[in-house]
Amino acid sequence: MMSSLGGSEKMATIFFCIVLFLATSVSSASLKVGFYKSSCPSAEMIVRKAVNKAVSKNPGLAAGLIRMHFHDCFVRGCDASVLLDSTPGNPSEKESPVNNPSLRGFEVIDEAKAEIEAQCPQIVSCADVLAFAARDSAYKVGGINYAVPSGRRDGRVSLKDEPSLHLPPPFFNAKQLEENFARKGLSLDEMVTLSGAHSIGVSHCSSFSNRLYSFNATHPQDPSMDPEFARYLKTKCPPSSNTGSDPTVPLEFRTPNRLDSKYYKDLKNHRGLLTSDQTLFDSPSTKRMVKNNARYGANWGNKYAAAMVRMGAIDVLTGTKGEIRKHCRVVNYR
């Protein structure tokens, strides 16, 4: 998976192969690596080219595409419901405050799907295009590559109210996060591993400003946050009463466009941006996992790949269920 491996990294790669085998054989039994090998052999390359072009111009889109896949899979399973536009009287998942205005990268999916449709009409699902794009984003900005089992089909329902019922908010503690991921069949370690995607991307100040100004009655500022870090954040995020805007800051400041394990090092230094980030180090159930991920970056990358494969198999539609959309933003007319 990665070149120039040392002894410990070779062991990590062997471990990853075993985990990936288990993940694909247990969770993705209805999906298959190389699903389009005969029916549309260029599908994955088309997606990778579209992602590489877009992320080269705007590195932030890598985080957007990974997050979009996560938001898709946790709501109705990995069925591309997050890609559907609203229709009269039916606002879609895109309109949820959880997704709007933070999700981005829809145009990358549209471009890849359009080229695939030109070559292989109604063969490749939008759900698979999104899963490929999330993988290709991780490879582009983190060197993390993995085989994506495919064969997902697209759902026909997308409801505005559902994302907030299924996606973990930024104020969750470790126990709440564990329970949220467990409902989707993911383990505590997979939750901590996938949280490492916060190594890239940005957050709106409103998602963590309570930690700066109104933490609790005793401490206006969250005492678990490094004071110097808090002072810096206040220069970027003034009190909400002073402005109508909601600025963004990087989720991880040292390498904001590189998917790596520095996120976990920041948690050790009490520089996690969101409550749901810092809680992973502050909680006894996850602290050791954070320390191990911070120390063994290559192993974290392998675990991340395996966890993404597992996440990508949540409640998938296969066989004759769902459909293969012609356009990812709208269901097919019947």
Side-chain angles (χ1 to χ4, degrees), residues 7-269:
S8 62
E9 290 183 313
K10 286 180 181 176
M11 288 300 294
T13 301
I14 293 170
F15 166 79
F16 162 65
C17 291
I18 294 171
V19 172
L20 182 57
F21 169 76
L22 292 173
T24 55
S25 61
V26 176
S27 298
S28 311
S30 55
L31 304 178
K32 177 184 175 183
V33 172
F35 184 84
Y36 301 109
K37 186 176 181 180
S38 299
S39 59
C40 191
S42 60
E44 293 194 47
M45 185 54 65
I46 289 172
V47 176
R48 178 156 289 193
K49 285 182 177 178
V51 169
N52 285 346
K53 183 177 79 170
V55 175
S56 292
K57 294 178 180 177
N58 180 0
L61 285 175
L65 291 165
I66 292 171
R67 186 163 179 251
M68 191 188 297
H69 184 41
F70 167 56
H71 282 218
D72 183 39
C73 291
F74 266 53
V75 182
R76 293 187 166 267
C78 311
D79 69 344
S81 57
V82 73
L83 301 178
L84 287 171
D85 285 343
S86 298
T87 56
N90 180 36
S92 71
E93 292 172 30
K94 284 183 177 180
E95 303 307 316
S96 167
V98 178
N99 292 330
N100 183 17
S102 58
L103 279 194
R104 50 194 172 143
F106 294 105
E107 69 283 359
V108 182
I109 303 300
D110 291 340
E111 180 180 331
K113 175 64 169 173
E115 187 169 344
I116 288 172
E117 284 296 300
Q119 296 191 23
C120 321
Q122 280 195 275
I123 297 293
V124 181
S125 69
C126 297
D128 279 341
V129 171
L130 181 51
F132 295 148
R135 181 267 314 274
D136 297 336
S137 296
Y139 184 54
K140 176 69 173 173
V141 299
I144 301 173
N145 201 15
Y146 54 95
V148 174
S150 49
R152 299 167 189 80
R153 289 170 66 86
D154 300 323
R156 293 178 54 84
V157 176
S158 182
L159 302 174
K160 175 184 177 180
D161 294 338
E162 291 193 336
S164 60
L165 300 177
H166 295 277
L167 289 160
F171 54 79
F172 263 14
N173 61 34
K175 184 62 177 175
Q176 291 170 312
L177 289 169
E178 178 182 6
E179 292 170 350
N180 179 270
F181 276 66
R183 284 194 290 271
K184 304 301 178 182
L186 297 173
S187 71
L188 181 64
D189 188 63
E190 286 170 328
M191 180 274 286
V192 176
T193 297
L194 290 171
S195 295
H198 280 182
S199 166
I200 55 175
V202 299
S203 172
H204 285 274
C205 292
S206 59
S207 294
F208 60 87
S209 59
N210 67 301
R211 300 186 68 202
L212 302 177
Y213 301 108
S214 57
F215 185 66
N216 61 32
T218 307
H219 302 282
Q221 183 174 298
D222 186 346
S224 72
M225 181 181 283
D226 172 58
E228 183 181 345
F229 185 50
R231 281 194 295 274
Y232 173 77
L233 289 175
K234 286 179 178 179
T235 67
K236 301 295 182 182
C237 302
S240 56
S241 58
N242 293 353
T243 173
S245 64
D246 190 7
T248 60
V249 297
L251 282 159
E252 191 268 291
F253 281 77
R254 291 197 288 176
T255 53
N257 292 318
R258 181 73 183 171
L259 182 62
D260 56 28
S261 62
K262 289 188 177 66
Y263 162 82
Y264 299 101
K265 295 177 181 179
D266 279 351
L267 300 188
K268 288 176 61 181
N269 292 325

